Amino acid sequence: MTISVGVDVGGTFTDFLMLDSASGAFATAKVPTTVDDRAKGFLQGLAELGVSPAEVGWLVHGTTAGTNAVLERNGARCGLITTQGFGDVLELGRRTRPHAYGLSGNFEPLIERRFRREVPERVDAQGRIVTELDEAALRAAVEELIADGVESLAIHFLHSYINPDHERRAVAIARELWPNPHVIAGHEIIREVREFERGSTAAIHASIAPIVSQYITRVADRLRDGGFANELLIMQANGGMMSSRLIGDHAAHTVMSGPAGGVLAAAQIARASGFDKIITGDMGGTSFDVALVVGGEPVITAEKDLAYSVPIRIPMIDMHTVGAGGGSLARIDKAGMLRIGPQSAGSFPGPIGFDRGGDKVTITDANFLLGRLNPQAITGSDKPAPLERIRAAMQADIGDPLGLDADRAASAIVDVAVADMAGAIRLISIEKGHDPRDFALMPFGGAGPLHAVAIARELGLPRVLVPRFPGLTSALGCVMADVRHDFVQTVNQPLRDIDCAGIDAIMADQRDRGRALLQDEKVEVTSIELQHEADLLFKGQSHVLRIPLSGETFSPDAALEAFKRAFKTRFDLELPEMIPVLVNMRTTIIGRREKTDLAIFRPASGTLEDARTGSRQVYFNGVWHDTQVYARDALPAGGSIVGPAIVEQADSTLVLDPGTVSQVDDIGNIIVEIDAV
């Protein structure tokens, strides 16, 4: 059982990468995502790989099903039972507003007000019971929600992160009455302070758990029917994976799992190529996801806003998303401005160029018209792009309102999209204290390399590192992923008052729960790594610094010294009069799998001339250029290409603007030097 398959189900395409560790062979596939039944596209892709489920040893799956359900507000009908007087916490949030200026705007919480119930109970911030749980009121609330047709239930009581007894009892009662397994308590997902964020995370879980569970179960059943005898593994937002059997209890951890796989693969590819600081840009059909890799590792965050006032508080790779994918629609707004996205044409009907019935202009259509995409080779289609139909729609919808011809209108669409994507990179780099000029850009996703050089030039990035299979990088990340679980427990006590035995007990409990999950998953690992961390701040502050700890026991003195050093490094300040507070204890447990040898992607032998397939006219900076076209799979190691040039492969297209020089490294990556000539 040496065959591993990574699968990334995106909004437009489903990507597959198969590696055989015994023979060193690999295969790829890319099929349109079957939105009505994603399992159908999943099995179609396996068939195109030429492998049966019975032959597969490891199958790791990343998905955006949960993310899309939240963003599109089409999750399960879910209910909330909370502490009396706190039923509107999800709407009150943090006193922000949808629009920075003006008095208009609205917000739709994940759980409707009519499906929220309050029951008498109260625990204070020290975990002391102030009001006992009213079990009769709880039973009545559960029965009302069942009668209302609610499918999934979240129970979220005040301060249950410090004392979950009431939540535990409430969940036990609710599960006796509830007609399905979808009942969750807030503390079962995360035991961390901040009621709104913890409640929002519980609401996200309740909203997506039935959808993700049903989908994964359907896929697992069909794989089993096809002879798959092993564990279906699911990518998590933290860059690790878990068994599909845990999805019902950990659905929130699948949010952004597809893009997370891409960042994980990008980090490993960059390390192998000698880059320890990269910015990743994952441009698929519907969105552009940006992340940082520093010191060879993806930056992890504890919280992310999936949408306005919908934060999710779990450990995850820090990503920022804008609605600028290949299928993003271009339009003229009421002010006469050209806008891109966030609406997308998706796979069906898709861009006009896919010739599946789409009639709205997209970024992909602009690239067809500018000669950057080959109109005779379209992934998932056996028909050429209808260029005249694209031109007519471009002129009517974009060109005429702006007073431009179709070519300049298409170029304007690309320019606006590049500006939007560059803005996303600024948000995750400059605004967090990083200079993007110190980084290389690694584009992936099917559309990433199309715009990477223009984005790098816009930001002053010196290099672009294009992986061997940009359109399949997230699928590759699934194959590379280790097994990972993260735990957090709020303490929120001054460091001088800490009961070390109590903290040691928390560390031991988190360690034991992690090891139990690894054992339950039955995934073959080569080693197990454990990392304890502490979140500390000075009393009166709101932002924590995360401090790595050594050993299996807690030392307040060692933690304090490490915190002071980190504070000095970060702020160049010393505050000896301030009181340090231990906010959270964290534990990460990682089961390391056998590493993927990237030499499997070593370039073909031959010459650059062998890889050249012809030339065509391509539009750059208002001028049409005669541009050489190369086949990616025939590029030799050391081969150097001077722009303008186009490099084509089945899963993506790289556009090399005038003024660039690129070279193929010994594991198949293309390293582009910006403005090198």
Side-chain angles (χ1 to χ4, degrees), residues 6 79 180 203 255 351 441 477 505 541 544:
N180 62 49
V255 169
L441 176 63
Q541 297 180 331
V544 302

Side-chain angles (χ1 to χ4, degrees), residues 145-378:
L145 292 172
I146 293 173
D148 286 338
V150 170
E151 183 179 359
S152 182
L153 176 64
I155 296 177
H156 171 64
F157 291 153
L158 201 65
H159 301 308
S160 64
Y161 61 88
I162 197 71
N163 181 355
D165 288 351
H166 281 180
E167 273 194 1
R168 287 190 180 120
R169 178 57 183 156
V171 164
I173 293 171
R175 286 172 177 162
E176 292 174 359
L177 302 171
W178 206 255
N180 62 49
H182 301 302
V183 177
I184 193 72
H187 79 275
E188 293 176 337
I189 301 175
I190 185 166
R191 292 190 62 175
E192 190 172 357
V193 70
R194 294 183 182 270
E195 300 306 321
F196 167 57
E197 288 80 2
R198 195 163 52 86
S200 176
T201 303
I204 289 169
H205 176 97
S207 176
I208 69 174
I211 293 171
V212 175
S213 296
Q214 290 167 15
Y215 162 58
I216 294 299
T217 299
R218 190 162 59 247
V219 170
D221 288 345
R222 294 191 185 183
L223 288 170
R224 197 175 300 108
D225 292 343
F228 182 63
N230 298 299
E231 191 76 31
L232 174 62
L233 303 168
I234 308 300
M235 221 26 221
Q236 299 183 78
N238 60 14
M241 62 179 182
M242 63 180 169
S243 166
S244 60
R245 291 183 288 109
L246 303 179
I247 285 296
D249 295 330
H250 300 270
H253 292 267
T254 67
V255 169
M256 303 294 290
S257 69
V263 179
L264 178 72
Q268 296 196 35
I269 292 168
R271 284 200 302 270
S273 298
F275 293 81
D276 68 343
K277 297 177 75 172
I278 62 168
I279 297 171
T280 68
D282 179 4
M283 186 179 183
T286 57
S287 65
F288 179 68
D289 302 308
V290 184
L292 293 184
V293 174
V294 179
E297 296 292 337
V299 175
I300 302 293
T301 183
E303 183 178 322
K304 176 180 174 60
D305 284 338
L306 296 185
Y308 168 74
S309 206
V310 186
I312 182 168
R313 198 165 179 82
I314 59 172
M316 62 194 307
I317 291 176
D318 190 8
M319 287 178 281
H320 182 68
T321 301
V322 293
S328 294
L329 301 178
R331 70 187 193 283
I332 306 298
D333 68 12
K334 293 179 181 179
M337 302 287 288
L338 175 59
R339 303 291 186 188
I340 308 297
Q343 297 81 13
S344 173
S347 291
F348 297 95
I352 300 171
F354 286 5
D355 200 17
R356 298 185 188 128
D359 59 3
K360 302 295 184 183
V361 173
T362 68
I363 296 175
T364 293
D365 295 314
N367 281 302
F368 276 126
L369 210 57
L370 297 174
R372 301 179 179 204
L373 284 174
N374 186 347
Q376 304 298 322
I378 303 173

Side-chain angles (χ1 to χ4, degrees), residues 526-554:
T526 58
S527 63
I528 295 176
E529 296 179 9
L530 189 71
Q531 176 64 63
H532 295 295
E533 296 174 306
D535 290 343
L536 292 109
L537 51 70
F538 285 118
K539 189 174 183 179
Q541 297 180 331
S542 58
H543 296 287
V544 302
L545 289 180
R546 188 173 300 180
I547 306 301
L549 305 175
S550 59
E552 291 291 303
T553 58
F554 183 73

Side-chain angles (χ1 to χ4, degrees), residues 7-11 13-15 33 38 42 61-65 68 215 258:
V7 185
D8 175 43
V9 180
F13 288 101
T14 298
D15 304 324
T33 296
R38 287 181 170 86
F42 194 106
H61 177 23
T63 177
T64 57
N68 293 340
Y215 162 58

